[in-house]
Amino acid sequence: NFYEANLRESVFTRANFESSTLYRCDLCMANLSHANLSMVDFYKTNLYTANLSHANLRHSHFYKADMQETLLTDADLGESNFYEVDMREAILQSASLVRTTFYYSNLCNANLGQSNLNCASLMGANMAKANLRRASCVGTNLFRAILTGADLTEADLREAVLRLADLSNTSLENANLFRANLSEACLDYAQLAGANFKKTNLWRVNLGQLILTHPGHDRDAITVDSSALN
């Protein structure tokens, strides 16, 4: 175990930290790629710009850790817990986040493209301007999530819970929302061209101004004014 250790810029490639505690450690810019970090407790750990790509982080716990711009490409974070973690601009492309839970975490501008978020819980998470392009979010809980300006193009959102989520200015082009719950969500200026809304729950959804055609086709753009639907 490590307590308040200064491990800045250290190299721990393929190291085994399984079931360890990293209490208030400074791992800024450290290289932990391919490391075994399963069941590790990251308590207020500084992981700013650290490299955790391809790391095994299953069943780990992150409490108020600094993970801004942390590299987590292809990492396995399945069934881990994040509590008030700052993950702004973190790179989680192609990462596995199955059944992972985020409590009040900040994922603004994070890159989650092609990641697996199936059955994850992101209730109330701030994901403004995040990249979720082609992400798999089947059964994902996004209740009250902030997704303003996020890119969900071609995302798989089947049976996802997006109740009361803020999806304003979000791209949902060609996204699959089969049986998703969007009740009372805000879709103001959302781009929905090609999206699948079969059996989607749109009860009391705030449509605002919807853009139903692809960008670049302004002359043919169709918008729906919610006031006309009252």
Side-chain angles (χ1 to χ4, degrees):
N1 296 329
F2 295 85
Y3 295 88
E4 300 183 351
N6 183 357
L7 302 166
R8 292 175 68 92
E9 300 182 54
S10 297
V11 178
F12 294 107
T13 306
R14 300 185 186 278
N16 187 358
F17 286 89
E18 185 176 348
S19 301
S20 299
T21 297
L22 293 166
Y23 180 90
R24 290 182 181 270
C25 293
D26 188 353
L27 284 156
C28 176
M29 295 183 284
N31 187 348
L32 290 147
S33 61
H34 297 274
N36 182 3
L37 295 156
S38 60
M39 296 182 284
V40 171
D41 285 326
F42 294 89
Y43 183 90
K44 294 187 177 180
T45 306
N46 181 8
L47 290 160
Y48 176 69
T49 67
N51 181 359
L52 284 83
S53 60
H54 301 277
N56 178 6
L57 291 145
R58 290 183 60 80
H59 302 285
S60 291
H61 300 277
F62 298 83
Y63 179 82
K64 294 187 177 181
D66 184 352
M67 298 183 74
Q68 293 183 71
E69 299 180 41
T70 301
L71 180 60
L72 291 151
T73 304
D74 289 304
D76 187 352
L77 295 134
E79 299 183 74
S80 293
N81 294 299
F82 293 81
Y83 182 82
E84 291 187 13
V85 177
D86 189 348
M87 300 183 78
R88 286 175 292 172
E89 298 186 45
I91 302 171
L92 295 126
Q93 194 164 16
S94 301
S96 176
L97 297 148
V98 177
R99 294 188 178 85
T100 298
T101 302
F102 295 86
Y103 296 98
Y104 309 106
S105 294
N106 190 343
L107 290 140
C108 284
N109 291 296
N111 185 352
L112 291 138
Q114 296 181 303
S115 61
N116 187 346
L117 286 151
N118 291 349
C119 299
S121 177
L122 291 130
M123 289 177 58
N126 188 347
M127 304 176 77
K129 297 183 179 179
N131 175 12
L132 288 148
R133 194 179 185 93
R134 295 184 178 174
S136 183
C137 302
V138 179
T140 302
N141 188 348
L142 291 155
F143 176 73
R144 287 189 182 275
I146 300 169
L147 289 152
T148 51
D151 185 358
L152 285 149
T153 303
E154 297 183 25
D156 190 348
L157 292 152
R158 285 173 295 160
E159 300 183 347
V161 177
L162 288 149
R163 184 168 179 262
L164 290 166
D166 187 350
L167 292 154
S168 55
N169 294 295
T170 298
S171 174
L172 285 158
E173 291 185 50
N174 299 312
N176 188 352
L177 291 138
F178 177 75
R179 290 188 182 276
N181 183 356
L182 273 77
S183 59
E184 300 181 272
C186 177
L187 288 163
D188 197 19
Y189 285 101
Q191 297 174 16
L192 306 175
N196 176 14
F197 285 94
K198 188 175 181 180
K199 297 187 178 180
T200 303
N201 184 352
L202 295 166
W203 180 72
R204 295 186 64 181
V205 69
N206 178 6
L207 298 176
Q209 295 285 330
L210 293 179
I211 300 173
L212 302 174
T213 60
H214 294 285
H217 295 79
D218 294 340
R219 287 179 300 174
D220 303 318
I222 301 170
T223 60
V224 178
D225 187 343
S226 59
S227 63
L229 301 175
N230 295 331

